[in-house]
Amino acid sequence: MRTEMHAMAKAAGAFWSRLRSNDEDEANPGVGLALGGGFARGVAHIGVLRVLEREHIPVRFVAGVSAGSIVAAGLAGGADADDLELVARSMKFKDLAGWRFSLLGLVGSERMEGFLRRAFPVYRFEEMKIPLAVVATDLKTGEPVIFHGHGEVFHPVRASCSYPGLFHPVKYEGMLLVDGGISMEIPAAALRGLGAKRVVSVVLPAPPVTADPGSMFGVVNRCFQIMQQRTEQFWRFQSDVVIAPRVQDVAWDDFTQAGRMIEAGMEAAEAALPRIRALTRHAAVGGLQAVSAN
């Protein structure tokens, strides 16, 4: 027991040390990056990362929900945009889920753990090179559950990606967890909780609704859109810059368009660069930080 408590205390100390070191480099302050969901459309996040790397804008904190949690965990563990692109181009639906019908969902996400373990060499929060937060939603309380600091990322990421109706909820530590996007579409508030002072949020727009839903999943998806429209103001208030890659025409499960989605992420990030530079420049000289963009 004493050994376990010592290990947890050591891990917590290392975590808070990383928070301090990431936040103190005001000569090159960098940003906190909040990555939203979109399943296959999450590949567009890699294009945003590529532009930040090219422009030498460091990511000091990262948080993700749903597909964004996979990219966030890879980035926090030390992967760069090239590493993540290799993973994305090889990814298939069957790597993440297996059909297993039940009253609570159609597919299980157990396969995702093996995929993450193979894809990312670092998968414990306390070993991450960048402080990481992963957001899921507790079905019992309706509240967001923000994982950070200690433990493996597998259950949190699986839970954060568990789209209701499709994926089985994830049972973890007495909670019944589903997609983080239900309670926190973009995890800007989670970044603020970690200590991020400059938040860049990446939202992946869904296809527009042009007709009545033609399936059960169409109904669920439309409910998500309505809910997110009503909560959008909250996460935008917590964000300094918002990047929205044009991926509306990509289907949620289409992993074949990785290249085009990465390009869309790059284009959107490049358009936002003046505002991101202004944000970090103001921080470096001690000026105002309120820079906002759509």
Side-chain angles (χ1 to χ4, degrees):
M1 183 69 172
R2 181 175 296 178
T3 301
E4 182 180 354
M5 292 179 63
H6 175 74
M8 291 179 65
K10 184 177 179 181
F15 175 74
W16 290 111
S17 176
R18 291 202 312 283
L19 290 187
R20 288 193 296 272
S21 65
N22 275 11
D23 200 40
E24 285 172 355
D25 187 3
E26 292 300 331
N28 190 13
V31 298
L33 198 59
L35 304 180
F39 212 64
R41 290 189 292 271
V43 177
H45 291 313
I46 299 171
V48 175
L49 296 180
R50 178 154 288 146
V51 171
L52 296 179
E53 289 175 3
R54 186 192 71 201
E55 299 299 320
H56 305 291
I57 298 171
V59 176
R60 302 296 185 189
F61 304 86
V62 64
V65 301
S66 197
S69 71
I70 297 177
V71 178
L75 175 66
D80 61 16
D82 289 340
D83 298 327
L84 292 169
E85 180 176 355
L86 287 174
V87 172
R89 287 186 180 275
S90 66
M91 187 185 299
K92 298 178 177 61
F93 181 78
K94 66 180 182 180
D95 294 324
L96 306 177
W99 294 101
R100 197 176 78 247
F101 298 93
S102 83
L103 293 176
L104 298 181
L106 302 180
V107 298
S109 60
E110 289 82 4
R111 293 181 183 178
M112 192 180 297
E113 177 172 339
F115 174 80
L116 294 173
R117 195 180 292 273
R118 293 191 303 272
F120 304 133
V122 176
Y123 43 80
R124 294 192 63 87
F125 282 97
E126 61 268 30
E127 296 174 357
M128 296 294 176
K129 295 176 172 56
I130 301 171
L132 166 70
V134 172
V135 182
T137 302
D138 186 355
L139 274 181
K140 296 180 181 179
T141 66
E143 295 294 324
V145 180
I146 301 173
F147 294 91
H148 64 87
H150 179 74
E152 294 184 340
V153 302
F154 303 130
H155 278 93
V157 170
R158 281 180 52 208
S160 189
C161 293
S162 293
Y163 191 87
L166 178 62
F167 285 88
H168 301 169
V170 173
K171 295 180 180 180
Y172 185 65
E173 295 185 352
M175 297 177 288
L176 193 61
L177 302 173
V178 293
D179 197 311
I182 293 177
S183 57
M184 192 179 292
E185 180 188 1
I186 305 296
L191 280 183
R192 297 290 185 188
L194 284 181
K197 297 177 181 177
R198 295 160 292 277
V199 173
V200 174
S201 294
V202 185
V203 60
L204 304 175
V209 176
T210 58
D212 291 340
S215 67
M216 176 184 68
F217 294 117
V219 172
V220 173
N221 184 59
R222 182 57 181 147
C223 290
F224 258 81
Q225 290 177 319
I226 294 170
M227 176 185 64
Q228 290 170 348
Q229 287 171 358
R230 292 181 176 275
T231 61
E232 180 178 356
Q233 185 176 1
F234 175 74
W235 64 258
R236 284 188 178 272
F237 178 77
Q238 297 283 344
S239 306
D240 297 301
V241 176
V242 177
I243 299 174
R246 296 182 180 275
V247 292
Q248 293 95 322
D249 60 337
V250 178
W252 68 273
D253 59 346
D254 188 355
F255 289 97
T256 66
Q257 300 191 60
R260 189 165 74 83
M261 287 187 284
I262 290 172
E263 289 178 6
M266 292 182 66
E267 290 174 3
E270 286 166 352
L273 267 178
R275 295 179 289 272
I276 297 173
R277 289 196 184 104
L279 181 68
T280 56
R281 182 169 62 249
H282 290 165
V285 300
L288 296 176
Q289 298 182 48
V291 179
S292 182
N294 291 318

